[in-house]
């Protein structure tokens, strides 16, 4: 796991070296073990290394082939690199690293080599003879890669902050996506909050040659679904899912450094612990966060699993004072503002301090195995299509009554759904992850309702009538909606920035692309029942999870923000909201009124609708964004 930087175009060597040094320095947290720079005609490449596989200096980057024509900087892991290495016809390997395998695979096969790779990655591959640069990102969007045009040149990095540190682009807020952030606490798709900075889409590669850019997809989840799974008996399906899960975990346990598992005590993380314990040669280390407030603490459930699988368990007891002490560092670690990424910052810090460099996470299990309420809600809408027979005016009145009777985010979403012309996914799902409605945000800022809705457009083009994914099972469509929006644009982004702040690598077996290809084909009736995630629980088989784990309602990993923001974090929030309100384009009176409503206990203004404004201001201030 590392950080990569680069710039195409002819520049004086001293200037190019200085740019790479500045950008590398801003990524030191991602790779404290080594630093490298490669400067040649037309290219400057930078790298910071977190040593995971082959810890020797020979495996440092940038890495060039024997001829010196090709050079690679790479962030991530190719989990099946040893298997791929055997396919090559030569033995003159200089390292035992996945970097070298990826380098020679790209030399031999170009981007087609990625079809053989199982991993999480972003990389830049330079061909000196052709003056061609290829940027690529993994299928599932686990590792980030950002880029910007600088005149005729291309600037890229693992983090937005490093792009800003280059001093080649303006630190200007992209107002066209502010509405997306205020609605969903993130920005979806290729755009970012910085004007002129773009995010390379998952499963895509970008070619820069002769000052022209070409963006192409090399992978699409819909096109890769394993439809043969539909013909399996349930017994055979469980066997296939269990084998895919075990294979995904085993691949991600390959490391030359200590490894652990994040354990919340829920089904997903418990499954990870059980599968890791089965495949490990030593006791597995596990980590969980606990609170004095039992309403938020899952420590007892985590302890049950730790005891069952005999793990080396670390319980991190977090108090408000602990959070306040860590808050400045957590906010400084944000490469993109986040509403709840600080959770990951805290547990990652504890894991790193306990001596591990790699952890497994249960992230992605809910999205794949229908663990969120949105799956049940979307299924239930099939039987409520009769509501559409009422005039839209009547449905709007009913929604308004509900919002007045029971104010809050849930009522806002229901009211929005009732006003739709159809109950199809592309019309309903965009409200499921909505933090605040467009009407609410329009009052906050001049551009609070700006921009097209990425989620609706993606769903219509990819999963709507006549689209490639139209015939997928309904719940698989929801899984893909979750993957492409909430998972990629919030959870994975938060996981990367907050874990790498501590030079900790997080691996996510549930995001194995072969596992997704299998489960996306599964019929809806096998994913939902009276118990949570039945297919996943049944597939665990001999690693039986206790009923106290497998049958308990989903709790969700969150801190007691509501209480903390009214007390210990009150001054911090007030200061940030005041500063945000006085920025150009934001409406101070509205922001102040919302803050006062929250403090007064108004149910229409929950903590999340305040906190993400505080973190936005903290990010703008830290990065000097105008």
């Amino acid at each position: 796991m590392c950080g990569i930087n680069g710039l195409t175009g002819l520049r004086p060597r001293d200037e190019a070296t200085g740019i790479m040094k500045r950008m590398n320095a801003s990524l030191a947290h991602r790779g404290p073990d080594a630093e490298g720079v490669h400067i040649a005609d037309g290219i400057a490449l930078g790298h910071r290394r977190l040593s995971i596989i082959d810890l020797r200096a020979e495996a440092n980057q940038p890495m060039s082939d024997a001829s010196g024509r090709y050079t690679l900087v790479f962030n991530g892991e190719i989990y099946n690199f040893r298997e791929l290495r055997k396919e090559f016809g030569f033995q003159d390997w200089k390292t035992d690293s996945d970097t070298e395998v990826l380098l020679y695979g790209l030399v031999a096969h170009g981007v087609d080599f990625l079809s053989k790779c199982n991993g999480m990655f972003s990389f830049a591959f330079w061909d000196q003879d052709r003056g061609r640069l290829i940027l690529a990102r993994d299928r599932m969007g686990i590792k980030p890669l950002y880029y910007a045009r600088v005149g005729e040149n291309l600037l890229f990095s693992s983090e937005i902050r490093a792009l800003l540190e280059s001093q080649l682009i303006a630190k200007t807020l992209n107002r066209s996506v502010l509405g997306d952030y205020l609605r969903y606490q993130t920005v979806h798709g290729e755009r970012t909050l910085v004007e002129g900075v773009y995010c390379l889409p998952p499963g895509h590669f970008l070619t820069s040659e002769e000052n022209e850019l070409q963006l192409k997809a090399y992978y699409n989840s819909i096109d890769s679904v394993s439809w043969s799974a539909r013909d399996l008996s349930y017994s055979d399906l469980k066997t296939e899912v269990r084998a895919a899960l075990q294979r995904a975990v085993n691949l991600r346990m390959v490391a030359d450094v200590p490894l652990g598992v994040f354990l919340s005590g829920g089904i997903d993380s418990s499954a990870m612990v059980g599968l890791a314990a089965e495949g490990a040669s030593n006791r597995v280390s596990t980590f969980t966060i606990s609170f004095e407030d039992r309403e938020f603490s899952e420590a007892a459930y985590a302890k049950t699993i730790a005891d069952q699988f005999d793990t080396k368990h670390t319980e991190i007891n977090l108090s408000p004072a602990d959070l306040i002490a860590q808050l400045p560092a957590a906010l400084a670690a944000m490469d993109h503002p986040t509403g709840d990424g600080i959770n990951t910052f805290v547990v990652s810090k504890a894991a790193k301090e306990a001596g591990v460099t790699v952890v497994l996470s249960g992230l992605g299990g809910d999205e794949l195995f229908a663990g969120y309420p949105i799956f049940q809600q979307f299924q239930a809408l099939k039987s409520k299509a009769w509501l559409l027979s009422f005039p839209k005016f009547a449905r709007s009145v009913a929604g308004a009554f509900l919002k007045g009777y029971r104010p809050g985010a849930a009522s806002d979403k229901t009211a929005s759904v009732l006003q739709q012309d159809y109950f199809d996914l592309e019309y309903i799902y965009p409200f499921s992850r909505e933090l605040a409605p467009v009407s609410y945000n329009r009052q906050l800022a001049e551009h609070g309702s700006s921009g097209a809705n990425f989620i609706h457009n993606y769903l219509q083009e990819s999963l709507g009538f006549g689209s490639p994914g139209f015939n997928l099972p309904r719940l698989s469509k929801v899984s893909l909606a979750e993957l492409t929006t909430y998972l990629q644009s919030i959870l994975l982004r938060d996981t990367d920035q907050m874990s790498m702040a501590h030079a900790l690598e997080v691996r996510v077996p549930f995001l194995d692309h072969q596992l997704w290809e299998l489960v996306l084909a599964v019929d809806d009736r096998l994913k939902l029942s009276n118990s949570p995630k039945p297919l996943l629980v049944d597939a665990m088989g001999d690693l039986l999870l206790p009923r106290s784990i497998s049958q308990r309602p989903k709790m969700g990993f969150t801190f007691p923000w509501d209480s903390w923001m009214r007390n210990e974090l009150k001054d911090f929030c007030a200061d940030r909201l005041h500063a945000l309100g006085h920025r150009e384009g934001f409406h101070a009176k509205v922001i102040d009124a919302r803050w006062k409503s929250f403090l007064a206990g108004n149910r229409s203004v929950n903590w999340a609708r305040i906190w993400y404004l505080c973190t936005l201001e903290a990010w703008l201030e830290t990065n000097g964004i105008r």
Side-chain angles (χ1 to χ4, degrees), residues 491-615:
L491 298 184
L492 289 174
R493 180 181 279 162
D494 283 353
T495 297
D496 177 81
Q497 64 183 350
M498 292 305 186
S499 63
M500 291 308 293
H502 304 288
L504 180 77
E505 176 174 296
V506 177
R507 299 177 177 179
V508 280
F510 280 118
L511 268 291
D512 184 279
H513 70 278
Q514 294 174 336
L515 176 63
W516 273 72
E517 291 165 7
L518 172 66
V519 178
L520 284 176
V522 174
D523 190 85
D524 291 344
R525 61 188 173 81
L526 302 180
K527 293 181 181 177
L528 286 181
S529 72
N530 294 327
S531 60
K533 287 177 274 197
L535 177 57
L536 174 57
V537 172
D538 292 347
M540 288 297 292
D542 56 310
L543 294 179
L544 290 173
L545 299 179
R547 288 185 61 83
S548 61
I549 302 298
S550 65
Q551 302 300 310
R552 75 183 182 95
K554 182 172 178 59
M555 186 169 178
F557 177 39
T558 186
F559 291 170
W561 289 112
D562 187 89
S563 172
W564 292 353
M565 288 168 61
R566 298 176 191 277
N567 297 286
E568 293 86 354
L569 294 178
K570 182 177 179 180
D571 290 342
F572 171 86
C573 293
D575 291 344
R576 297 305 176 280
L577 294 171
H578 176 80
L580 182 66
H582 286 79
R583 287 184 178 270
E584 181 182 355
F586 288 86
H587 301 149
K589 291 183 179 179
V590 175
I591 293 174
D592 183 58
R594 299 267 169 87
W595 173 234
K596 290 179 179 177
S597 293
F598 167 75
L599 293 177
N602 187 327
R603 290 183 296 174
S604 67
V605 187
N606 62 15
W607 69 266
R609 288 182 172 180
I610 296 295
W611 181 244
Y612 83 134
L613 298 178
C614 299
T615 58

Side-chain angles (χ1 to χ4, degrees), residues 143-287:
K143 291 290 102 185
L145 188 57
Y146 301 96
Y147 66 95
R149 290 298 297 261
V150 180
E152 295 183 342
N153 302 325
L154 182 68
L155 181 71
F156 66 88
S157 178
S158 297
E159 295 190 2
I160 295 173
R161 288 177 294 183
L163 296 180
L164 300 177
E165 196 62 29
S166 73
Q167 300 175 11
L168 297 176
I169 59 177
K171 297 182 177 182
T172 305
L173 178 66
N174 183 1
R175 295 191 178 190
S176 68
V177 299
L178 182 60
D180 203 24
Y181 178 83
L182 293 178
R183 187 174 179 184
Y184 295 109
Q185 68 173 328
T186 191
V187 176
H188 298 96
E190 299 176 52
R191 303 170 300 169
T192 74
L193 279 169
V194 179
E195 187 71 46
V197 174
Y198 298 89
C199 180
L200 187 66
H204 282 68
F205 67 96
L206 180 71
T207 303
S208 173
E209 188 173 8
E210 296 182 349
N211 298 324
E212 291 189 5
L213 299 184
Q214 257 194 331
L215 180 66
K216 293 184 178 180
Y218 69 86
Y219 179 81
N220 185 297
S221 298
I222 297 170
D223 297 336
S224 305
V225 172
S226 300
W227 289 112
S228 58
R230 292 185 301 180
D231 301 325
L232 297 174
S233 67
Y234 190 61
S235 177
D236 288 342
L237 177 62
K238 289 188 297 180
T239 300
E240 288 289 324
V241 170
R242 169 60 187 276
L245 274 168
Q246 188 69 67
R247 184 171 60 249
V249 171
N250 290 347
L251 281 172
R252 286 157 181 79
M253 292 182 69
V254 176
D256 295 330
V257 293
L259 179 146
V261 184
F262 285 155
L263 175 59
S264 69
I267 294 173
D268 301 333
S269 64
S270 299
M272 288 298 99
V273 172
L275 294 166
E278 184 168 82
S281 55
N282 301 310
R283 287 179 72 196
V284 172
S285 296
T286 53
F287 303 88

